[in-house]
Amino acid sequence: MKADPSVQRQLLDLAKVDAELSRIAHRRRTLPELAEIEEIEKRLRDRRDALVGVRTSVSDLERDVARQEREVDSVRARAERDRSMLASGSVAAKQLTDLEHELDSLARRQSALEDDLLETMERKEALELDAQRTSAEVDKAEQELRAASGRRDEALADLDTTQARREQDRERLVPRIPENLLALYERVRQHKGIGAALLRARRCGACQLELDRAAIAEIKAAPEDEVVQCENCGAILVRTLESGL
């Protein structure tokens, strides 16, 4: 393939633009904010799930407290009724004994119920404190997520601006290169990542390998308008005074 040396040199400008576009694409995929956001989102999901679990447990204990309070109130009311009957002095001797026995039983029942109620209320209070701590952790994670998302959006906006400029540069360069040469360049770039590079001091600027004597001799003997490629990576080698030929 033939191409004017000045046209071949423009491939270096195109390769530079494409290299920067590749770096931008890589940067988009590897922004540190992306990993940070992923970690925060996972932590936030865990904390939200934990908060739902704690609040559900608190709600369950609230129902238990209400039930136990009703039971205590019921026992107290029954004991109060029995004491009122005793105070009235109108009960028979046998009923008096039964009432006294029932009051003893009710006292023990009330004491046990109140102990259970106190334990339930203490558990509820501990879970409410846990819910407050977990809620604070959720708020903190949400703030961190907003901050990280803001930094990501700023970084992406900068990349968008740079990418738009480089794409404009590419649009200006591509029409200057013959179709057959551009097709070769694109084919090599697609497979190797770099379509063209400077041959500097007998070393390929794409793969950074030094060409052997036979390859250098062949390139040196080739006409200036001959398109030559690296024997190692296939990149189009652009010859200049720096090539060491």
Side-chain angles (χ1 to χ4, degrees):
M1 182 183 299
K2 302 287 186 179
D4 187 271
S6 62
V7 174
Q8 292 188 43
R9 284 192 290 273
Q10 291 189 62
L11 287 177
L12 295 178
D13 296 330
L14 181 59
K16 182 179 179 180
V17 169
D18 285 335
E20 187 165 359
L21 287 171
S22 295
R23 285 192 293 271
I24 292 171
H26 177 74
R27 174 70 172 162
R28 284 185 187 278
R29 297 190 300 269
T30 59
L31 281 174
E33 290 82 5
L34 297 178
E36 182 183 2
I37 288 171
E38 183 178 357
E39 187 277 329
I40 295 174
E41 287 177 337
K42 180 180 182 303
R43 175 155 44 89
L44 183 56
R45 287 194 299 270
D46 291 343
R47 292 295 82 203
R48 282 173 174 169
D49 290 344
L51 183 57
V52 169
V54 172
R55 284 175 172 171
T56 299
S57 297
V58 169
S59 179
D60 292 341
L61 287 178
E62 286 175 343
R63 286 193 294 271
D64 289 343
V65 166
R67 175 182 55 78
Q68 290 172 335
E69 286 178 337
R70 288 194 299 270
E71 291 177 352
V72 170
D73 290 341
S74 176
V75 171
R76 285 174 176 168
R78 180 67 178 268
E80 183 62 28
R81 186 195 66 180
D82 288 353
R83 282 190 290 270
S84 296
M85 291 179 65
L86 285 174
S88 68
S90 61
V91 296
K94 183 178 183 306
Q95 188 180 8
L96 178 65
T97 301
D98 291 341
L99 285 173
E100 289 175 344
H101 178 71
E102 182 173 297
L103 280 171
D104 288 340
S105 297
L106 288 173
R108 291 192 296 271
R109 175 62 175 163
Q110 180 177 334
S111 177
L113 288 174
E114 288 175 342
D115 287 343
D116 291 343
L117 175 59
L118 179 61
E119 180 184 350
T120 303
M121 293 178 69
E122 288 175 345
R123 288 167 54 202
K124 174 175 168 289
E125 183 178 352
L127 282 175
E128 286 173 339
L129 290 175
D130 192 14
Q132 291 176 7
R133 287 192 296 267
T134 306
S135 180
E137 291 171 353
V138 169
D139 291 342
K140 181 180 179 182
E142 288 175 342
Q143 292 173 2
E144 292 175 351
L145 181 59
R146 286 192 293 270
S149 297
R151 293 194 299 273
R152 176 205 58 193
D153 293 343
E154 289 177 1
L156 289 176
D158 290 341
L159 290 175
D160 287 342
T161 300
T162 304
Q163 180 175 339
R165 291 171 179 170
R166 296 296 81 80
E167 286 175 347
Q168 290 175 355
D169 293 339
R170 198 176 200 281
E171 290 174 0
R172 287 194 295 269
L173 287 168
V174 166
R176 304 174 187 175
I177 301 171
E179 290 185 5
N180 59 347
L181 180 60
L182 182 63
L184 174 61
Y185 168 87
E186 295 289 8
R187 187 165 59 251
V188 174
R189 185 171 71 94
Q190 182 178 0
H191 289 89
K192 302 296 183 179
I194 300 177
L198 177 65
L199 176 61
R200 177 185 285 120
R202 304 187 178 189
R203 186 181 297 274
C204 172
C207 63
Q208 299 301 318
L209 294 177
E210 186 173 347
L211 278 64
D212 60 31
R213 291 182 179 179
I216 290 296
E218 184 177 346
I219 292 174
K220 188 175 182 179
E224 287 187 357
D225 62 350
E226 184 73 26
V227 176
V228 298
Q229 295 177 253
C230 175
E231 62 178 4
N232 298 306
C233 68
I236 298 171
L237 292 175
V238 179
R239 290 167 286 173
T240 69
L241 295 177
E242 299 180 58
S243 299
L245 299 177

